[in-house]
């Protein structure tokens, strides 16, 4: 039986709820331009998400016509992202009571804005209280005054729906008593992040009577917190580490843990004890703020079961013990490893992460910026702090140990090339052209080409010191056809044609690498450090044809 209908394409707005759930703000704006009916029915959904990142946009939002539309569509507003905390009072005044997420990040380059924002904190408690659906709150500013903190914590404890709270304001000074009150008020939260600058507020160790007072806030004598993610990378002064440990005894469900700033070895003993007896579900561990001996961090790693991610600290001695513990206890489960600044990690350990961790998806062992050293020889050898993969090690293991991390998505790595050979005999040099891979060894770029899931590739070249650096740099410039000042040519001449020939071989080798990387069809970021002089632009253009999703390529 055929059912007839008089509906037309212009009646599509009757399905607006289902349609708008799958559309972005940009798509909804375009729908509003189709017809008058479309505009009338789709425009309310433009207020479902309010993103404000610029002062000019914030000013437009407070125009009379915009505020009138906000009052009309206030029930549609569910997600607000705004760096300007003055919007909190605006939302209160216009009775926006259906918020689900509220994000008010910090503008680090606008100190005056931060000062204005923190004095709006008195409105955030009221806004949370009148929004029963509110699930996530992220604040980049907070006024740590006793009355404000007490009121905020009271609302936090009584709210039934809120599960995520983040206060990231590193320049703000928060008394340890306030941080303690915030942590003990998070019994219903699943995620808590407090990243502020703490100040000492008590010289005495926390007493049992004080612990009982905090327990009363939870309404139970032996509460079990729901926290699954806890991030408090703050400096705990005096006896505060002990108070923090007493709190951790009630958080057995933590899976992602960012440790506080422990600067002394004795402070970490209590943490080791509670991790062994209570916090047994940690799968993601971040010790970036810990400055104790690496052997103690290795003990933390050995206590955890099946770690999936790990973030190291550049302030730790004995980082080789940390890397060894990760490989010994968690090689089968590791998915994400950040060893930035772990310069004392051995080359064999770097290689072991790549060859022994089959689930590894992110391996980051390369700093984002280059530190300059006053020692010219050190500048040519390595970046201070980064772990370096030696080509001697990778060549020794290539025939017996392939890379196990075939699903790697992010690779940030520095490698050390072998000492360049300097032959004056052109015939002898031609015979060794294939083996003279001092720019980018074939075995390395072929291994990278096999990582077909790779999306981010940062590769840094570390070259041993060269006796006649100045003349070699000049030879490179001449070989590239770059203009060279006459004074430079008169004062420094290339010592031999072999140096220019070496440059040509290096450029050819780098071009082969770029063409081999055409297999990386998902590549989005390519960062090549120390390889600019050997990049052939034609080879880059050829390779980019296969990188459909490439966002940027950077080499120097």
């Amino acid at each position: 039986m055929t059912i007839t209908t008089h509906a037309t394409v212009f009646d599509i707005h009757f399905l607006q709820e289902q349609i708008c759930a799958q559309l972005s703000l940009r798509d909804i704006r375009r729908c509003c331009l189709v017809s008058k009916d479309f505009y009338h029915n789709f425009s309310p959904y433009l207020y479902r998400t309010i993103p404000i990142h610029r002062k000019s946009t914030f000013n437009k939002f407070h125009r009379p016509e915009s505020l009138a539309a906000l009052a009309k569509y206030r029930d549609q507003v569910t997600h607000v992202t705004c760096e300007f905390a003055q919007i909190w009072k605006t939302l209160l005044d216009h009775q926006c009571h259906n918020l689900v997420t509220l994000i008010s990040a910090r503008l680090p380059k606008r100190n005056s804005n931060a000062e204005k924002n923190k004095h709006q904190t008195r409105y955030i408690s009221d806004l949370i209280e009148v929004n029963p659906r509110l699930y996530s709150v992220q604040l980049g500013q907070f006024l740590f005054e006793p009355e404000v903190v007490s009121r905020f914590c009271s609302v936090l404890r009584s709210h039934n729906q809120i599960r995520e709270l983040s206060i990231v304001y590193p320049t703000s000074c928060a008394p340890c008593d306030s941080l303690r009150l915030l942590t003990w008020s998070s019994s219903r939260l699943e995620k808590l992040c407090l990243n502020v600058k703490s100040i000492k507020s008590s010289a005495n160790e926390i007493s049992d009577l004080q612990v009982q007072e905090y327990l009363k806030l939870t309404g139970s004598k032996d509460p079990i917190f729901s926290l699954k993610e806890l991030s408090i990378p703050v400096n705990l002064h005096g006896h505060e580490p002990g108070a923090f440990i007493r709190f951790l005894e009630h958080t057995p469900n933590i899976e992602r843990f960012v440790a506080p700033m422990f600067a002394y070895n004795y402070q970490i003993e209590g943490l080791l004890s509670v991790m062994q007896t209570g916090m047994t579900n940690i799968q993601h561990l971040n010790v970036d703020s810990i400055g104790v001996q690496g052997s103690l961090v290795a003990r933390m790693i050995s206590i955890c079961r099946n770690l999936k991610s790990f973030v190291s600290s550049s302030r730790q001695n004995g980082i080789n013990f940390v890397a060894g513990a990760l490989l010994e206890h968690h090689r089968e489960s590791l998915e994400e490893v950040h060893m930035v600044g772990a310069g004392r990690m051995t080359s064999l350990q770097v290689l072991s992460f790549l060859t022994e961790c089959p689930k590894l998806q992110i391996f980051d062992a390369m700093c984002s910026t280059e530190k300059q050293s006053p020692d010219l020889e050190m500048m040519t050898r390595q970046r201070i702090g980064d772990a370096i993969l030696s080509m001697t090690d990778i060549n020794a293991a290539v025939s017996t140990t392939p890379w196990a991390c075939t699903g790697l998505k992010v690779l940030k790595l520095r490698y050390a090339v072998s000492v360049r050979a300097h032959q004056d005999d052109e015939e002898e040099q031609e015979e060794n052209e294939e083996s003279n891979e001092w720019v980018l060894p074939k075995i390395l770029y072929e291994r990278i080409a096999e990582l077909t899931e790779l999306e981010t590739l940062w590769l840094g070249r570390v070259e041993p010191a060269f006796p006649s650096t100045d003349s070699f740099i000049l030879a490179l410039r001449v070989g590239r056809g770059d203009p060279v000042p006459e004074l430079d040519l008169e004062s420094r001449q290339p010592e031999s044609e072999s140096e220019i020939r070496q440059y040509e071989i290096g450029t050819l080798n780098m071009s082969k690498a770029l063409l081999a990387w055409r297999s990386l069809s998902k590549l989005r970021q390519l960062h090549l450090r120390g390889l600019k002089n050997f990049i052939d632009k034609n080879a880059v253009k050829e390779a980019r044809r296969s990188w459909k999703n490439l966002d940027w390529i950077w080499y120097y």
Side-chain angles (χ1 to χ4, degrees):
M1 183 177 185
T2 304
I3 300 177
T4 59
T5 177
H6 298 288
T8 66
V9 69
F10 295 101
D11 296 320
I12 198 172
H13 58 266
F14 292 124
L15 302 174
Q16 58 195 22
E17 186 71 31
Q18 292 81 0
I19 294 174
C20 290
Q22 307 298 327
L23 296 181
S24 64
L25 286 178
R26 183 179 181 182
D27 293 332
I28 295 176
R29 291 192 189 99
R30 290 178 175 179
C31 290
C32 291
L33 301 176
V34 173
S35 67
K36 185 176 181 180
D37 287 339
F38 270 52
Y39 176 80
H40 177 73
N41 289 280
F42 279 87
S43 56
Y45 294 94
L46 290 174
Y47 288 82
R48 179 183 58 192
T49 301
I50 301 178
I52 300 177
H53 303 286
R54 298 181 180 179
K55 185 66 175 179
S56 57
T57 308
F58 181 77
N59 293 335
K60 292 179 181 178
F61 182 78
H62 282 80
R63 291 177 178 175
E65 57 272 20
S66 299
L67 294 178
L70 177 65
K72 181 179 180 181
Y73 303 128
R74 61 177 180 266
D75 293 336
Q76 299 290 338
V77 181
T78 56
H79 307 278
V80 176
T81 301
C82 180
E83 279 80 1
F84 306 93
Q86 293 93 323
I87 198 174
W88 298 344
K89 188 175 186 304
T90 303
L91 297 173
L92 273 172
D93 293 341
H94 290 79
Q95 300 180 5
C96 298
H97 296 166
N98 283 328
L99 291 178
V100 177
T101 62
L102 178 63
I103 302 175
S104 184
R106 182 177 65 96
L107 290 179
K109 295 183 179 180
R110 297 182 180 178
N111 295 329
S112 59
N113 182 73
E115 289 297 320
K116 293 178 180 178
N117 280 351
K118 72 178 184 181
H119 292 291
Q120 300 293 322
T121 307
R122 60 183 182 272
Y123 298 114
I124 192 64
S125 299
D126 297 333
L127 189 59
I128 293 175
E129 193 172 33
V130 298
N131 279 274
R133 297 179 57 203
L134 195 59
Y135 183 86
S136 177
V137 177
Q138 300 180 31
L139 305 178
Q141 55 281 314
F142 201 85
L143 183 62
F144 286 96
E145 292 184 351
E147 298 80 5
V148 174
V149 175
S150 178
R151 164 71 172 151
F152 183 83
C153 291
S154 176
V155 172
L156 190 63
R157 293 191 300 270
S158 60
H159 201 284
N160 294 323
Q161 191 65 24
I162 189 168
R163 292 295 181 268
E164 298 179 358
L165 173 64
S166 175
I167 301 178
V168 180
Y169 194 6
T171 59
S172 177
C173 295
C176 288
D177 290 343
S178 298
L179 296 179
R180 197 185 300 172
L181 185 59
L182 282 167
T183 54
W184 284 95
S185 299
S186 60
S187 57
R188 296 184 180 182
L189 297 180
E190 295 180 359
K191 178 180 178 180
L192 175 63
C193 176
L194 299 176
N195 187 359
V196 296
K197 182 180 179 181
S198 64
I199 56 177
K200 186 183 299 185
S201 56
S202 176
N204 300 322
E205 189 173 358
I206 185 172
S207 63
D208 292 337
L209 182 60
Q210 288 177 303
V211 173
Q212 293 301 321
E213 293 295 327
Y214 288 124
L215 290 175
K216 289 180 181 179
L217 298 176
T218 65
S220 173
K221 295 182 179 180
D222 189 17
I224 301 298
F225 283 49
S226 302
L227 282 173
K228 293 184 178 180
E229 297 185 27
L230 178 61
S231 174
I232 308 186
V234 300
N235 188 5
L236 300 179
H237 302 276
H239 296 284
E240 284 303 316
F244 181 68
I245 298 301
R246 298 290 294 269
F247 164 72
L248 290 181
E249 293 174 354
H250 302 276
T251 58
N253 300 314
I254 291 180
E255 297 177 0
R256 188 179 296 271
F257 181 54
V258 180
M261 189 179 298
F262 292 110
Y264 302 100
N265 295 342
Y266 71 88
Q267 294 177 333
I268 206 170
E269 293 295 338
L271 180 58
L272 289 171
S273 177
V274 74
M275 286 180 63
Q276 191 167 12
T277 58
M279 298 167 57
T280 58
N281 296 322
I282 295 179
Q283 300 178 16
H284 308 272
L285 181 62
N286 185 329
V287 297
D288 181 59
S289 299
I290 293 181
V292 300
Q293 291 291 332
S295 57
L296 294 175
V297 177
R299 288 176 56 189
M300 293 177 59
I301 294 172
S302 62
I303 291 173
C304 298
R305 304 172 185 174
N306 300 322
L307 271 183
K308 293 183 179 180
S309 71
F310 178 79
V311 180
S312 70
S313 172
S314 60
R315 294 183 292 274
Q316 293 169 4
N317 293 324
I319 196 67
N320 54 323
F321 294 107
V322 176
L326 286 171
L327 292 168
E328 180 181 356
H329 299 281
H330 307 287
R331 69 180 68 185
E332 297 295 333
S333 60
L334 278 174
E335 299 177 0
E336 183 176 345
V337 177
H338 296 268
M339 302 295 286
V340 179
R344 297 189 179 183
M345 184 171 63
T346 65
S347 172
L348 285 175
Q349 289 176 330
V350 175
L351 185 60
S352 296
F353 279 109
L354 300 173
T355 58
E356 299 178 10
C357 300
K359 295 184 179 180
L360 197 62
Q361 297 184 10
I362 298 177
F363 183 68
D364 182 4
M366 179 177 174
C367 292
S368 59
T369 58
E370 186 84 8
K371 288 187 177 180
Q372 299 296 329
S373 170
D375 186 352
L376 294 178
E377 183 175 352
M378 179 61 72
M379 288 177 63
T380 61
R381 286 188 180 275
Q382 71 177 51
R383 180 238 182 264
I384 301 174
D386 278 344
I388 308 298
L389 176 62
S390 170
M391 286 300 99
T392 303
D393 295 331
I394 194 173
N395 286 325
V398 64
S399 59
T400 57
T401 311
W403 285 11
C405 52
T406 55
L408 200 67
K409 295 182 179 179
V410 177
L411 176 61
K412 298 183 180 181
L413 180 67
R414 288 172 68 88
Y415 66 94
V417 297
S418 304
V419 178
R420 294 197 303 273
H422 308 290
Q423 298 109 342
D424 293 329
D425 188 348
E426 294 183 1
E427 295 182 359
E428 182 181 356
Q429 182 174 337
E430 290 177 358
E431 294 177 357
N432 295 313
E433 281 183 6
E434 295 298 326
S435 61
N436 190 8
E437 298 173 344
W438 55 274
V439 173
L440 181 56
K442 181 179 180 181
I443 185 57
L444 180 58
Y445 71 70
E446 285 183 344
R447 281 287 181 265
I448 295 175
E450 295 173 359
L451 306 175
T452 55
E453 299 296 321
L454 205 62
E455 298 178 1
T456 300
L457 174 60
W458 287 24
L459 202 61
R461 172 176 170 272
V462 178
E463 183 186 0
F466 187 56
S468 54
T469 305
D470 293 339
S471 61
F472 181 71
I473 292 177
L474 182 59
L476 297 187
R477 296 172 65 187
V478 173
R480 293 180 59 190
D482 291 346
V484 182
E486 294 183 0
L487 293 177
D488 288 346
L489 289 174
E490 293 178 356
S491 59
R492 293 179 293 180
Q493 296 291 336
E495 294 182 356
S496 65
E497 292 295 330
S498 64
E499 293 176 349
I500 298 179
R501 182 58 179 162
Q502 281 194 345
Y503 161 75
E504 294 174 350
I505 296 172
T507 304
L508 178 61
N509 194 22
M510 191 64 215
S511 298
K512 291 180 179 179
L514 290 171
L515 295 179
W517 291 343
R518 289 182 297 182
S519 61
L520 309 179
S521 58
K522 298 182 180 180
L523 194 65
R524 302 185 66 91
Q525 298 180 8
L526 179 59
H527 178 119
L528 302 174
R529 188 178 298 173
L531 293 166
K532 180 179 180 180
N533 290 330
F534 310 100
I535 298 292
D536 181 35
K537 293 184 179 179
N538 292 327
V540 174
K541 291 179 181 179
E542 181 68 23
R544 289 196 67 166
R545 295 176 182 175
S546 303
W547 302 332
K548 303 298 183 181
N549 300 321
L550 189 69
D551 294 330
W552 53 263
I553 176 173
W554 185 23
Y555 46 83
Y556 63 88

